[in-house]
Amino acid sequence: MDKPAPRRVTIVDVARHAQVSTTAVSKVLRNAYGASPAMRTKVQQAIDELGYRPSAAARGLRGQTYTIGVMLPELRNLFFADILDGITTQLGDSDYQVLLAPGCNGEKAEAKVIDAMIDRSMDGLVLIAPVSAKKRLTEVAAGVPTVVVGRHGASPTYDSVTDDDIAGAALVVDHLVSLGHRRIAHIEHHETDRIRLAEMPNALRANGYRHAMIAHGLEDEIDVASTSYTQAGGYQGAKELLARPVRPTAIFAGADVVALGALEAIAEAGLSVPGDISVAGYDNSALAAFGPISLTSVDQDGRQMGANAARLLVERINQRDRRPTQVKLTPSLVVRRTTATI
Amino acid sequence: MDKPAPRRVTIVDVARHAQVSTTAVSKVLRNAYGASPAMRTKVQQAIDELGYRPSAAARGLRGQTYTIGVMLPELRNLFFADILDGITTQLGDSDYQVLLAPGCNGEKAEAKVIDAMIDRSMDGLVLIAPVSAKKRLTEVAAGVPTVVVGRHGASPTYDSVTDDDIAGAALVVDHLVSLGHRRIAHIEHHETDRIRLAEMPNALRANGYRHAMIAHGLEDEIDVASTSYTQAGGYQGAKELLARPVRPTAIFAGADVVALGALEAIAEAGLSVPGDISVAGYDNSALAAFGPISLTSVDQDGRQMGANAARLLVERINQRDRRPTQVKLTPSLVVRRTTATI
DNA sequence: CTGAAAGCGCTAACAT
DNA sequence: ATGTTAGCGCTTTCAG
């Protein structure tokens, strides 16, 4: 009954069936130079007849694996899903298969995942909002084509795709000011590392907030709660801000999930949004768009970012010594029902 | 400046450095039988000193790749993220690395992803809520250890982990009836395929709903809107139900996202929840727990499901001829603020 | 344009 | 307990 595991069809089988050499088959497989049209059709037919599929493991030992690894900090963050959509759409009809590691938080987990991807001979890596030391990232990228998404700062080895977080923060502040707000507080993701303070989006958003406040002559109103980019962080941060002697009239949360936590804390305090207090988020995730929440948020167009990342990565795979490129996209503000005139 | 790609450290380098054979190194790597403690320490030291990491591609050519592939229909579904958490937690300190394909919807995309994983010599597959033909799944599982999650029905080749969807649906109906509801409608995911009608969770939930209604003597009140398990599907389905001559007093949505869509439609119709109408979901995703939404929902304990799947998979990898097992977990109801007495 | 042959890095028989 | 050797399935020189 149980057949003894029907051995997989190999390139040798195809070659024999088509009466050609394995080299010929290999060339057809890779659309490589040096195979006549006649040869191509003959081999292709054999491939189809036998249902042959090349083994990526074997290919990887000499050439490419046609696999692109994506690392992201958190699967539950819908913004990252958008980036992923952009990547897969862009790679849609190429031979590359995208595989991703389940969310990894922290430098240690990142190191493990990156190693795992290198061990598996992936052709290219997309690292989304990595927190690893820049030195490490640069080393990794020296070994395998890499694109870093959502982390500012140029590198000699990797390409990067970012959204202008400074501008995004300014969009929010400008909007709130135009609604008459002055006491605009911010909930940031706490950061101490010096390089990360210059490169991580959360740091730049906090920075952009400060700059924008100053630009509006509101430097005395600057008020920041330093927690983390999580729902709990938003809750905690908002509680903190609401306990101030003079309550802010608007809260700019560094991310949509943070805004959600803030909304919870505000509701718990018996205050209404936007009646008593306006709230804005960042990322314009599906959550923000969801009717009952309807959160004003900064849209980063994750799909666009992902598409750019994939494009750059393929370019680099095909030309490894190409100069590193930085793509910086411009965010836009989506005004919804959580912000209103004071 | 640019060093010419420092060749990766191989098992040969380690063997030479430790003055032993490559076989010895290989054995230490795999904790295989036949290496003395002295040998182990010597080799391990060489490995550390050289920073050696085995190439998964090369390993895959002969033995295992220590890679487990996970396929899921949709990354944005938070319930799937829970399953994934369970898998990775269970696999935490093993040598296996989990890699997943970005969400794939439909039979065609599934086929592509499964092929891609097989091509990459993955040691095992976890297929979450696959829609592919059962025949295909059985064939796949004959070739590579496979666990199917969230699809009922035993198979001769794969293990499966499910949650008792019939019981889950009954939980909701029982709850609503106990609150005094009689006109309880259901929004289901439309299904026509005969096998899927018997195996897919959505079909079983619809079934469980009907049975429970009948058990309560409410067969005349059975009312089903057949759309899809998406937010749009929920919106559409609720609109349909609200347009009935006699409006339902409660809606049981087959999934939390569906409930969200329903909530939107209900709000749009100027009705209040749970004042005018009660709503219950399924999955108890983070969304359901989110304060402002606070959706009554059926909890499937995705983490538990994932942990079981991973456990079964590793067992099967180590003993491929083991009898297929079916694990069926029992759901529980989490009552929140979207359901109330009529 | 085509094919023979030499590996890629590792594991699994098979000696010793 | 250790080492030797032959591949795994593919790509890549290098001849023809």
Side-chain angles (χ1 to χ4, degrees):
Chain A
M1 182 75 203
D2 267 354
K3 287 162 236 151
R7 204 182 46 76
R8 210 185 142 104
V9 177
T10 75
I11 201 173
V12 179
D13 301 321
V14 176
R16 190 162 29 213
H17 192 251
Q19 314 236 52
V20 298
S21 70
T22 57
T23 308
V25 179
S26 176
K27 283 186 172 169
V28 173
L29 247 39
R30 291 171 292 123
N31 285 311
Y33 172 83
S36 63
M39 171 72 85
R40 286 195 188 285
T41 53
K42 191 163 53 172
V43 170
Q44 191 55 55
Q45 194 184 333
I47 289 178
D48 293 341
E49 280 180 29
L50 268 47
Y52 165 75
R53 297 189 53 91
S55 148
R59 295 180 109 172
L61 227 44
R62 296 296 305 228
Q64 299 185 227
T65 53
Y66 299 94
T67 308
I68 284 177
V70 176
M71 185 186 79
L72 35 69
E74 168 64 79
L75 274 173
R76 292 178 170 77
N77 188 321
L78 295 165
F79 170 54
F80 296 144
D82 286 343
I83 297 179
L84 214 56
D85 275 350
I87 295 174
T88 51
T89 303
Q90 174 77 21
L91 256 29
D93 44 322
S94 75
D95 288 330
Y96 293 104
Q97 169 69 41
V98 173
L99 291 179
L100 54 145
C104 55
N105 31 39
E107 204 157 343
K108 205 170 150 190
E110 277 188 10
K112 198 179 158 198
V113 164
I114 291 175
D115 277 343
M117 291 182 166
I118 294 175
D119 294 346
R120 283 158 186 76
S121 314
M122 298 206 171
D123 293 340
L125 264 38
V126 177
L127 308 180
I128 301 178
V131 298
S132 294
K134 180 157 194 178
K135 181 156 166 270
R136 160 90 174 146
L137 297 178
T138 298
E139 281 168 9
V140 166
V144 47
T146 301
V147 175
V148 170
V149 176
R151 178 155 167 167
H152 299 254
S155 153
T157 56
Y158 58 77
D159 300 307
S160 55
V161 176
T162 54
D163 198 72
D164 192 336
D165 293 281
I166 299 262
L171 283 177
V172 173
V173 173
D174 291 354
H175 166 63
L176 291 169
V177 167
S178 79
L179 291 173
H181 292 275
R182 294 178 55 83
R183 293 203 52 75
I184 303 167
H186 176 57
I187 303 177
E188 71 169 0
H189 180 94
H190 187 63
E191 194 73 76
T192 54
D193 179 87
R194 235 191 56 244
I195 292 185
R196 287 209 283 261
L197 270 172
E199 299 199 339
M200 297 301 285
N202 49 295
L204 293 200
R205 286 172 202 173
N207 234 326
Y209 157 78
R210 289 191 183 85
H211 282 304
M213 290 295 277
I214 292 169
H216 284 288
L218 299 174
E219 53 268 37
D220 294 338
E221 309 288 355
I222 290 175
D223 188 2
V224 177
S226 196
T227 62
S228 71
Y229 274 13
T230 61
Q231 195 166 319
Y235 179 84
Q236 159 91 32
K239 278 204 106 151
E240 211 173 285
L241 294 172
L242 294 178
R244 299 278 199 257
V246 184
R247 216 171 54 208
T249 64
I251 294 180
F252 162 35
D256 283 348
V257 282
V258 177
L260 288 190
L263 289 175
E264 262 192 307
I266 293 169
E268 231 180 78
L271 298 171
S272 79
V273 172
D276 298 313
I277 188 164
S278 286
V279 174
Y282 206 111
D283 285 345
N284 190 31
S285 57
L287 224 54
F290 175 58
I293 295 177
S294 193
L295 180 72
T296 293
S297 187
V298 177
D299 181 47
Q300 296 196 69
D301 200 344
R303 296 184 58 96
Q304 193 67 38
M305 293 177 76
N308 271 285
R311 183 177 53 75
L312 289 175
L313 188 57
V314 171
E315 277 178 29
R316 177 161 298 280
I317 288 174
N318 295 324
Q319 192 194 341
R320 295 200 44 156
D321 56 353
R322 158 159 97 26
R323 282 188 48 210
T325 314
Q326 286 80 236
V327 171
K328 188 191 262 188
L329 300 174
T330 304
S332 59
L333 186 71
V334 180
V335 177
R336 296 205 182 81
R337 293 201 300 267
T338 53
T339 49
T341 52
I342 195 170
Chain B
M1 182 73 208
D2 269 352
K3 288 164 236 150
R7 203 181 48 77
R8 210 185 143 104
V9 178
T10 76
I11 201 173
V12 178
D13 301 321
V14 176
R16 189 161 31 211
H17 191 251
Q19 316 237 49
V20 298
S21 70
T22 57
T23 306
V25 179
S26 176
K27 284 185 172 171
V28 172
L29 246 41
R30 290 172 293 125
N31 285 311
Y33 173 82
S36 63
M39 171 70 86
R40 285 193 190 286
T41 52
K42 190 163 56 172
V43 169
Q44 191 55 56
Q45 194 183 334
I47 288 177
D48 294 341
E49 281 180 29
L50 268 47
Y52 165 75
R53 297 190 54 91
S55 149
R59 294 180 110 174
L61 227 44
R62 295 299 304 230
Q64 300 184 228
T65 52
Y66 299 94
T67 308
I68 285 177
V70 175
M71 184 186 80
L72 34 69
E74 168 63 82
L75 273 173
R76 292 177 172 77
N77 188 324
L78 295 165
F79 170 56
F80 296 144
D82 286 343
I83 297 180
L84 214 56
D85 274 351
I87 295 174
T88 52
T89 303
Q90 175 77 21
L91 257 28
D93 45 322
S94 76
D95 288 331
Y96 293 104
Q97 169 69 43
V98 173
L99 290 180
L100 54 145
C104 53
N105 30 40
E107 205 156 342
K108 205 170 151 190
E110 277 190 11
K112 197 179 159 198
V113 165
I114 292 175
D115 278 343
M117 290 183 167
I118 294 175
D119 294 345
R120 281 157 187 78
S121 313
M122 297 205 173
D123 294 339
L125 264 38
V126 176
L127 308 181
I128 301 179
V131 297
S132 295
K134 180 158 194 177
K135 180 156 167 269
R136 160 90 173 146
L137 297 178
T138 298
E139 281 169 7
V140 166
V144 49
T146 302
V147 176
V148 170
V149 176
R151 177 156 168 167
H152 298 254
S155 153
T157 55
Y158 57 77
D159 299 308
S160 55
V161 177
T162 53
D163 198 70
D164 192 337
D165 292 281
I166 299 261
L171 284 176
V172 172
V173 173
D174 291 353
H175 166 64
L176 291 169
V177 167
S178 79
L179 291 173
H181 292 275
R182 294 178 55 83
R183 293 203 53 75
I184 302 167
H186 177 57
I187 303 177
E188 72 169 2
H189 180 95
H190 187 63
E191 193 75 75
T192 54
D193 180 84
R194 235 192 54 245
I195 293 186
R196 286 208 285 262
L197 270 172
E199 299 199 339
M200 297 301 283
N202 49 294
L204 294 200
R205 286 173 202 171
N207 235 327
Y209 157 78
R210 288 194 183 84
H211 282 304
M213 290 294 278
I214 291 169
H216 284 288
L218 299 174
E219 54 269 34
D220 294 338
E221 309 287 354
I222 289 175
D223 189 4
V224 177
S226 195
T227 60
S228 70
Y229 274 12
T230 60
Q231 194 165 320
Y235 179 83
Q236 160 91 32
K239 278 204 105 153
E240 211 173 285
L241 293 173
L242 293 178
R244 298 279 197 257
V246 184
R247 215 171 56 207
T249 64
I251 293 178
F252 163 33
D256 283 349
V257 282
V258 178
L260 289 189
L263 289 176
E264 261 192 307
I266 293 169
E268 233 181 77
L271 298 170
S272 81
V273 172
D276 299 313
I277 189 163
S278 286
V279 174
Y282 207 112
D283 287 345
N284 191 30
S285 58
L287 224 55
F290 175 58
I293 295 177
S294 193
L295 179 72
T296 292
S297 186
V298 178
D299 182 45
Q300 296 196 67
D301 201 344
R303 295 184 58 97
Q304 193 67 38
M305 294 176 75
N308 271 285
R311 182 178 53 74
L312 290 175
L313 188 57
V314 171
E315 277 177 31
R316 178 161 297 281
I317 288 173
N318 295 323
Q319 193 196 339
R320 295 201 40 160
D321 56 353
R322 159 160 97 25
R323 281 189 47 211
T325 314
Q326 286 81 236
V327 171
K328 187 191 261 187
L329 301 174
T330 304
S332 60
L333 186 71
V334 180
V335 177
R336 295 206 182 81
R337 293 201 299 267
T338 53
T339 49
T341 51
I342 194 169

